[in-house]
Amino acid sequence: MTKAQTEKLKLLFRNAHLLAIKSRPFSDFPDLCKLDKMKGLDVGDTYLNAISARSFVQSPDAKGVRGEQQAKARCFYRAATSLSMVQYACFMYDVLLQLCNLSNTLQNRNASVADVHNSLEVTKKILIALKERPVPGSLLHSIQYDEEGTARFEGVELKGKNDAFKSSKKKFLEAIQSSFEDRFEDIEEGVLQATSVTSFKTWPDKENSEDFGNEDIVTLTSQFQPVLEAQGVSCREIVNEWTVLKTSLYNKNDWEKKLKTVTWPELNREFGDKCGHLLSLMDLILTLPVSTSECERGFSKMKMIKSDWRSSLITSTLSD
């Protein structure tokens, strides 16, 4: 169920609950929902009748409720108050939240390979922490235990044991870690690993800055040498300019603050004359797409223009 659907049901339940505690007839329910719509609230177009209002607040033990409905309601309540069920739901929310953050980085057209590398490392660390214990701030961490070991979530007592959850949680996270290693096995070595120098989050403190990035710059220069030289960039000057750029930044009095706020466009404006060849290499790396999503966007745009009715369009016309 989506967040929008959840909010709609909350509004509908609120109206039905108000009628019940005020001893008003459920026939007033559609009018209350109309008032919500006039106030700009989205209550949808379904369940806007007296029968639905009664079902929102009716107890399964009330008179007139069928035995089948009573059994379903009790079964649902037992599942909703089961410790293992609530733990698993909270755990899945915490895991999916981290995977969504990583996915958003991969789909962001302004993200660099270094951004993906940092996001991947953060995701791995959080998932490893979740394997051992709930991370502070996570939804799983909101399950509270009293001195007697009774678990509560949002004030509701949870029943049952969590033995099955512990074993399944570990297996699930190990499977995700294995999938990460298979899919991102190349990001920790070679050219992809070398691109991490473009992220100022990976830059060390001043004491360890002397040799930082030297090998990475050599790797990147060797990889993109044909492209760079075709644009008039001197690859021989890049390593020297890397030393000049590092020294200039670390010699600033506020170098720690600078590394937290500086951007490559700012460095282009400040050091464009001194380190032009190096900055050309950095510009090239920062323009590399981090996933196929950018390519898919290109094909999607092309299909909007070159539709079935415009199949005679040639490539030179589209590129004009």
Side-chain angles (χ1 to χ4, degrees):
M1 189 163 58
T2 64
K3 185 176 181 180
Q5 291 172 329
T6 303
E7 292 301 321
K8 289 179 184 179
L9 290 176
K10 284 182 179 179
L11 292 172
L12 294 174
F13 173 78
R14 183 198 64 184
N15 290 338
H17 184 255
L18 176 66
L19 294 175
I21 61 177
K22 295 295 184 182
S23 300
R24 296 291 303 170
F26 287 115
S27 57
D28 292 346
F29 182 72
D31 295 325
L32 283 177
C33 294
K34 288 180 181 178
L35 288 174
D36 281 340
K37 285 188 174 182
M38 294 176 66
K39 290 185 288 186
L41 300 175
D42 184 11
V43 296
D45 298 314
T46 55
Y47 306 112
L48 305 184
N49 53 69
I51 297 176
S52 297
R54 185 177 290 106
S55 65
F56 278 126
V57 295
Q58 192 174 40
S59 168
D61 297 321
K63 294 181 179 180
V65 180
R66 293 181 299 174
E68 180 183 357
Q69 291 178 317
Q70 290 180 340
K72 287 182 178 179
R74 292 193 179 95
C75 182
F76 176 79
Y77 182 77
R78 283 195 299 270
T81 56
S82 168
L83 176 59
S84 59
M85 179 69 73
V86 174
Q87 283 180 321
Y88 186 75
C90 294
F91 168 72
M92 288 300 298
Y93 174 86
D94 295 334
V95 172
L96 290 174
L97 179 63
Q98 303 306 320
L99 296 180
C100 285
N101 292 336
L102 176 61
S103 178
N104 289 335
T105 302
L106 290 168
Q107 297 179 60
N108 185 355
R109 61 174 53 190
N110 295 321
S112 64
V113 179
D115 293 330
V116 173
H117 191 278
N118 291 332
S119 181
L120 182 62
E121 287 301 311
V122 170
T123 303
K124 284 182 178 180
K125 290 179 180 179
I126 294 178
L127 293 181
I128 290 174
L130 283 173
K131 192 192 317 186
E132 303 299 330
R133 59 190 179 279
V135 177
S138 64
L139 192 60
L140 189 60
H141 193 263
S142 61
I143 299 177
Q144 303 295 324
Y145 296 85
D146 58 22
E147 296 178 355
E148 299 178 355
T150 303
R152 294 183 180 276
F153 179 73
E154 300 291 340
V156 179
E157 181 178 343
L158 304 178
K159 300 179 180 180
K161 300 181 179 179
N162 62 353
D163 297 338
F165 168 72
K166 288 182 179 179
S167 59
S168 60
K169 177 184 72 169
K170 184 177 180 180
K171 292 179 181 179
F172 180 73
L173 288 175
E174 287 176 350
I176 293 180
Q177 288 178 310
S178 177
S179 178
F180 274 0
E181 292 173 0
D182 293 338
R183 183 172 182 182
F184 301 102
E185 59 180 350
D186 297 333
I187 202 168
E188 299 291 345
E189 57 186 25
V191 176
L192 291 178
Q193 190 279 329
T195 59
S196 62
V197 297
T198 61
S199 174
F200 295 104
K201 295 178 182 179
T202 65
W203 285 41
D205 53 31
K206 190 173 183 178
E207 296 177 356
N208 300 312
S209 63
E210 184 176 354
D211 296 326
F212 167 69
N214 294 348
E215 294 182 3
D216 294 332
I217 293 298
V218 172
T219 300
L220 295 171
T221 304
S222 176
Q223 175 69 25
F224 298 107
Q225 183 174 355
V227 178
L228 294 169
E229 290 182 345
Q231 299 301 317
V233 176
S234 176
C235 294
R236 294 180 179 179
E237 299 294 331
I238 290 179
V239 176
N240 293 332
E241 291 182 357
W242 170 248
T243 303
V244 172
L245 180 65
K246 281 196 306 178
T247 304
S248 300
L249 287 176
Y250 281 111
N251 282 343
K252 292 180 180 292
N253 294 329
D254 58 342
W255 65 269
E256 289 182 294
K257 181 180 178 181
K258 187 72 173 178
L259 289 181
K260 293 180 180 179
T261 59
V262 71
T263 62
W264 285 107
E266 292 177 10
L267 294 182
N268 266 295
R269 291 190 293 269
E270 186 176 352
F271 297 97
D273 297 333
K274 297 180 181 179
C275 309
H277 302 290
L278 169 67
L279 293 172
S280 295
L281 171 63
M282 293 301 178
D283 287 342
L284 173 61
I285 296 171
L286 292 171
T287 56
L288 295 176
V290 299
S291 68
T292 60
S293 59
E294 193 64 32
C295 303
E296 292 167 3
R297 292 188 186 102
F299 281 109
S300 178
K301 292 290 185 181
M302 184 189 70
K303 289 180 180 179
M304 292 180 184
I305 300 173
K306 192 174 182 178
S307 62
D308 293 338
W309 293 95
R310 297 174 176 175
S311 57
S312 60
L313 283 173
I314 60 177
T315 304
S316 59
T317 305
L318 289 173
S319 303
D320 188 3

